[in-house]
């Protein structure tokens, strides 16, 4: 009977212009690594761990991340389309996103407390049953994004745009809005609001 291969650990490495598209990475642990312009589209990253890593200008379109650990990860200017983050390792799950396209991704039931989304596109993202307490949506496009039974306590929507959700279906204590974007909270009433 063959013994399972040991986990390969990469620490303090920089990976630049690597094409992982459609490939499978197994039993890898990346600690304090930097990924620049790498293509992970349609790749299988399940059950790998990333700790204190930075991804810049990378493509994660339709990447599989079942059981993957992401701890203290920074994504900058990355394309992260259609990823189901709800299948990730729940014990290693902390991010910040800057200038990223996260359209069609799923964060159902995840804990994203204090997560920063800065200058991101979050079109048709599923945040149902997620905990976004004290998260910040700074200059983000939330077109058709789903907030349902979502914890939005102290969540900052002041510069967010195109969101629409029912306050009665979410926990919104002390959530922050600007007077310019309150109409997204009233859409379900079908009111005619003029500037």
């Amino acid at each position: 009977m063959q013994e399972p291969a040991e986990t390969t650990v990469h620490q303090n490495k920089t990976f630049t212009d690597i094409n992982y598209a459609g490939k499978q990475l197994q039993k890898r642990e990346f600690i304090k690594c930097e990924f620049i312009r790498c293509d992970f589209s349609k790749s299988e990253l399940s059950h790998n761990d990333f700790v204190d890593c930075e991804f810049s200008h990378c493509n994660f379109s339709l990447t599989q991340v079942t059981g993957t650990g992401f701890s203290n990860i920074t994504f900058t200017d990355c394309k992260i389309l259609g990823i189901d983050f709800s299948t990730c390792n729940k014990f290693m799950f902390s991010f910040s996103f800057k200038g990223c396209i996260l359209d069609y991704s799923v964060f159902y039931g995840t804990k994203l407390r204090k997560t920063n989304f800065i200058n991101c596109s979050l079109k048709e993202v599923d945040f149902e049953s997620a905990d976004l307490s004290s998260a910040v949506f700074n200059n983000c496009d939330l077109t058709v994004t789903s907030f349902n039974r979502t914890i939005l306590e102290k969540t900052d929507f002041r510069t967010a745009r195109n969101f629409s959700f029912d306050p009665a279906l979410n926990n919104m204590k002390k959530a922050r809005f600007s007077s310019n974007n309150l109409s997204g909270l009233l859409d379900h009433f079908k009111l005619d609001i003029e500037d």
Side-chain angles (χ1 to χ4, degrees):
M1 200 164 129
Q2 190 174 358
E3 290 292 314
E6 286 187 28
T7 298
T8 302
V9 178
H10 300 278
Q11 193 160 358
N12 297 310
K13 291 183 181 176
T14 299
F15 300 88
T16 305
D17 296 315
I18 307 281
N19 184 356
Y20 295 104
K23 295 181 180 165
Q24 184 172 18
L25 287 179
Q26 291 183 319
K27 295 188 177 287
R28 303 287 172 98
E29 186 173 353
F30 298 90
I31 302 167
K32 295 185 179 176
C33 290
E34 187 175 7
F35 298 84
I36 302 167
R37 294 184 308 276
C38 294
D39 187 355
F40 295 96
S41 60
K42 296 184 180 176
S43 63
E44 174 66 67
L45 296 183
S46 296
H47 306 291
N48 292 290
D49 290 332
F50 297 86
V51 180
D52 298 325
C53 293
E54 295 183 17
F55 295 90
S56 177
H57 298 91
C58 294
N59 184 353
F60 283 90
S61 299
L62 302 174
T63 304
Q64 298 298 313
V65 291
T66 302
T68 302
F70 288 106
S71 180
N72 194 31
I73 303 303
T74 301
F75 290 102
T76 305
D77 299 318
C78 291
K79 188 176 180 183
I80 307 170
L81 294 176
I83 293 188
D84 187 353
F85 285 98
S86 70
T87 65
C88 288
N89 180 340
K90 302 290 189 274
F91 300 104
M92 295 179 68
F93 197 77
S94 56
F95 310 91
S96 66
F97 300 94
K98 183 176 182 181
C100 293
I101 301 170
L102 289 142
D103 300 348
Y104 315 110
S105 291
V106 176
F107 290 95
Y108 178 90
T110 58
K111 287 185 172 45
L112 292 159
R113 294 181 190 123
K114 298 183 180 176
T115 300
N116 287 323
F117 298 90
I118 299 169
N119 300 322
C120 292
S121 177
L122 294 144
K123 295 176 183 173
E124 297 190 47
V125 170
D126 181 0
F127 284 117
E128 184 171 341
S129 300
D131 182 351
L132 285 160
S133 304
S134 299
V136 175
F137 291 96
N138 186 347
N139 193 34
C140 291
D141 185 348
L142 300 170
T143 302
V144 198
T145 291
S146 171
F147 296 96
N148 189 11
R149 296 188 313 277
T150 307
I151 300 172
L152 300 171
E153 288 188 19
K154 298 182 183 174
T155 305
D156 190 342
F157 290 98
R158 289 177 297 170
T159 59
R161 61 191 181 283
N162 301 325
F163 60 84
S164 175
F165 54 88
D166 186 344
L169 299 178
N170 298 283
N171 180 349
M172 299 182 53
K173 188 176 181 181
K174 295 190 178 178
R176 304 175 79 185
F177 299 89
S178 76
S179 59
N180 299 331
N181 68 3
L182 287 174
S183 63
L185 300 175
L186 303 172
D187 286 346
H188 65 284
F189 290 117
K190 308 282 190 249
L191 302 175
D192 186 5
I193 300 170
E194 296 180 14
D195 290 331

